[in-house]
Amino acid sequence: MQLVVARIGRAHGIKGEVTVEVRTDEPEVRLGPGAVLATEPAETGPLTIESGRVHSGRLLLRFEGVRDRTGAEALRNTLLIAEVDPDELPEDPEEFYDHQLMDLDVVLADGTEVGRITEITHLPSQDLFIVERPDGSEVMIPFVEEIVGEIDLEEQRVVITPPPGLIDESEAVVATSREEEGDESTPSGDGNR
């Protein structure tokens, strides 16, 4: 099975190094020297990692055969794809690969069915489960500890405790508006009072 493990960013320096946006929890395993990675688009690869280092908090990689800035810049926005055994599990029991979570049933703590995970979106601040509900609509569930309480791979289900309004909009708590607080006559103007 193939997993996207990084995306190549801009060239760094003049000797063929590139910055990478890491998309794996195990960069030391997936992006180490000697790793051979497929690419998207396919015609830019496969690429073999020659060396890697961290500079100012960013991972820099150099690939075999890429010796200058022009060659490095030509790789920009290329996805790096690792071949992974589908039965392989992350070392940390609290981590999961996307393929393990796809198609799991999502239920509330009381067993009420919410839907099925059809997609996982990775955002800079958090990951989101895209859940298809029985009626065909979708709901986004933040993959955070406060909401996702249990992931049971054997039972093929995820138990969530959503805040009011996340699943059912009719339960949303609406903040009180200024007009209801009696502050409806606040004038706008030059600010002189």
Side-chain angles (χ1 to χ4, degrees):
M1 179 183 64
Q2 295 186 326
L3 293 176
V4 174
V5 293
R7 183 183 65 80
I8 298 176
R10 58 186 168 81
H12 179 82
I14 61 171
K15 297 184 179 180
E17 283 185 311
V18 295
T19 61
V20 292
E21 174 190 306
V22 177
R23 295 189 181 175
T24 175
D25 291 332
E26 301 171 316
E28 65 285 349
V29 174
R30 308 281 180 223
L31 300 171
V36 179
L37 302 167
T39 60
E40 178 64 41
E43 58 269 9
T44 60
L47 294 172
T48 302
I49 297 175
E50 184 176 287
S51 64
R53 66 186 178 103
V54 176
H55 175 72
S56 298
R58 293 198 72 110
L59 180 60
L60 302 178
L61 295 180
R62 180 176 293 139
F63 299 101
E64 289 180 6
V66 179
R67 295 284 172 240
D68 60 19
R69 185 174 186 88
T70 303
E73 194 60 42
L75 298 174
R76 191 175 193 156
N77 293 321
T78 298
L79 295 178
L80 299 175
I81 303 166
E83 190 65 41
V84 177
D85 179 349
D87 296 327
E88 180 182 334
L89 300 175
E91 291 179 16
D92 184 343
E94 296 296 312
E95 292 178 1
F96 302 91
Y97 292 130
D98 287 2
H99 73 274
Q100 294 175 284
L101 302 172
M102 292 298 292
D103 293 323
L104 293 185
D105 293 325
V106 178
V107 298
L108 300 178
D110 66 5
T112 304
E113 179 185 10
V114 175
R116 181 180 54 84
I117 297 174
T118 57
E119 185 180 338
I120 299 165
T121 302
H122 302 280
L123 302 174
S125 59
Q126 67 190 13
D127 296 335
L128 292 173
F129 292 154
I130 308 301
V131 177
E132 184 177 320
R133 303 187 73 174
D135 66 5
S137 65
E138 290 184 337
V139 62
M140 292 183 279
I141 309 290
F143 187 12
V144 294
E145 189 175 344
E146 296 81 19
I147 297 173
V148 179
E150 177 188 351
I151 296 176
D152 188 336
L153 295 178
E154 284 187 27
E155 294 292 322
Q156 294 286 294
R157 69 182 189 144
V158 175
V159 179
I160 64 169
T161 308
L166 183 65
I167 302 298
D168 185 353
E169 291 180 19
S170 68
E171 296 176 357
V173 177
V174 179
T176 308
S177 67
R178 290 180 171 245
E179 291 81 29
E180 292 176 44
E181 293 176 4
D183 195 18
E184 59 187 285
S185 62
T186 303
S188 60
D190 63 9
N192 294 329
R193 294 196 182 144

